Amino acid sequence: MTTVKELETYAQNTWCPGCGNFGILSSIKKVLADLKEEGLDLSKVVLASGIGCHAKIVDYVKVNSFYSIHGRVPPPITGIKLANPELVVIGHAGDGDAYGEGIEHLIFSAKRNINVTFIVHNNRVYGLTTGQFTPTSPSGFKGRSTPGGSPEDPLNPIELMLSAGAGFVARGFAGKPKHLQRLMKAGIKHQGFAFIDVLQPCFTFYNTYDFYNQRVYELTEGEYDSSDREAAFARAGEWAYGEGERIPIGIFYQVERPTYDEKLLKGRIPGKLKPGNIRSILEKHI
Ligand code: SF4
């Protein structure tokens, strides 16, 4: 039986004690261990990350990994998937990454429907740079760059992804790892762009554990039809990343449609390049 222990690395974990990233890390490891039991070849899994506290996750899971640059996780994971469609590609990004610096890449990934999973560690603050506001910080947020309180209203990434055409749109909470694991597993199995926004308290600069624990509730199967786009928008609007009494978590929307990689490659698997091949391609084209 595969255990999460087998997915541990020698890297020393440098997240602050109590960080919500731990819930995301333990969840992705558990999900990969479970999927291995179901037949997934872990040598075909690639994790990629951007820049920020979240990014260290790729050091802490023993699978293939790729460190990207700030906000630019979607382009490399698109390239990885197109270069080798057999790979299971999972991108991790922070909220500053995904909804600030790289928002255009995120929108086009959803629009194209590239067959990858994209997990946002949304702590609603720039933690690594010690507490500046991000696109999902609430109005009035006081941090290093907004000592008088942010005058901006937050972005709602669930509504954004629904509008952009994502076929799998979900929200999890790092404080509910079992629920988060179900979302991750469903996202990885989904054929198409699977977007998961994870509410991830930053224990040091924006501790939201109590806030979320008092407000989150699960969208449960049977009572909620995740194929209904209008219903998804209605639930997405229930909480606008500011104040609010109830915060839905779960799969807001899931439908499958042809993926970008399927349409572009039309069943062709690009040949595995050897150094000699690369030289001949370069000589031909340069
Ligand atoms: Fe986690 Fe915040 Fe510490 Fe970064 S600064 S490791 S997000 S608690």
Side-chain angles (χ1 to χ4, degrees), residues 15-16 19 21 53 123 127 200 202-205:
W15 287 328
C16 309
C19 177
N21 277 317
C53 293
N123 55 17
Q200 177 245 306
C202 168
F203 198 69
T204 304
F205 295 107

Side-chain angles (χ1 to χ4, degrees), residues 74 98 102-112 160-161 164-165 193:
I103 192 166
E104 75 280 22
H105 298 302
L106 177 63
I107 290 169
F108 277 88
S109 299
K111 173 182 174 291
R112 288 177 180 140
L160 177 73
M161 287 293 92
F193 186 72

Side-chain angles (χ1 to χ4, degrees), residues 41-98:
D41 178 355
L42 291 183
S43 72
K44 295 210 161 120
V45 175
V46 183
L47 296 194
S49 64
I51 297 293
C53 293
H54 83 276
K56 299 173 188 176
I57 197 164
V58 302
D59 287 337
Y60 305 147
V61 187
K62 198 158 70 181
V63 291
N64 304 295
S65 63
F66 186 88
Y67 258 107
S68 173
I69 54 176
H70 211 184
R72 271 67 189 180
V73 181
I77 61 176
T78 300
I80 291 166
K81 188 68 185 175
L82 290 178
N84 190 348
E86 291 179 349
L87 297 177
V88 172
V89 186
I90 304 166
H92 290 262
D95 44 313
D97 244 348

Side-chain angles (χ1 to χ4, degrees), residues 197-210:
D197 181 69
V198 185
L199 303 173
Q200 177 245 306
C202 168
F203 198 69
T204 304
F205 295 107
Y206 191 33
N207 186 353
T208 45
Y209 277 111
D210 285 347

Side-chain angles (χ1 to χ4, degrees), residues 172-247:
F173 171 38
K176 282 192 174 288
K178 285 207 181 310
H179 179 261
L180 181 57
Q181 286 157 27
R182 291 201 293 277
L183 297 183
M184 287 177 169
K185 204 177 274 188
I188 292 168
K189 289 182 176 180
H190 177 80
Q191 293 299 302
F193 186 72
F195 167 83
I196 307 172
D197 181 69
V198 185
L199 303 173
Q200 177 245 306
C202 168
F203 198 69
T204 304
F205 295 107
Y206 191 33
N207 186 353
T208 45
Y209 277 111
D210 285 347
F211 179 82
Y212 293 137
N213 274 323
Q214 288 160 14
R215 290 168 175 79
V216 295
Y217 78 94
E218 294 178 19
L219 293 169
T220 45
E221 282 176 34
E223 297 167 23
Y224 178 73
D225 178 4
S226 61
S227 66
D228 182 341
R229 197 158 175 265
E230 279 186 30
F233 269 108
R235 294 294 181 123
E238 204 172 325
W239 180 56
Y241 286 74
E243 298 304 320
E245 290 310 307
R246 278 164 60 80
I247 301 175

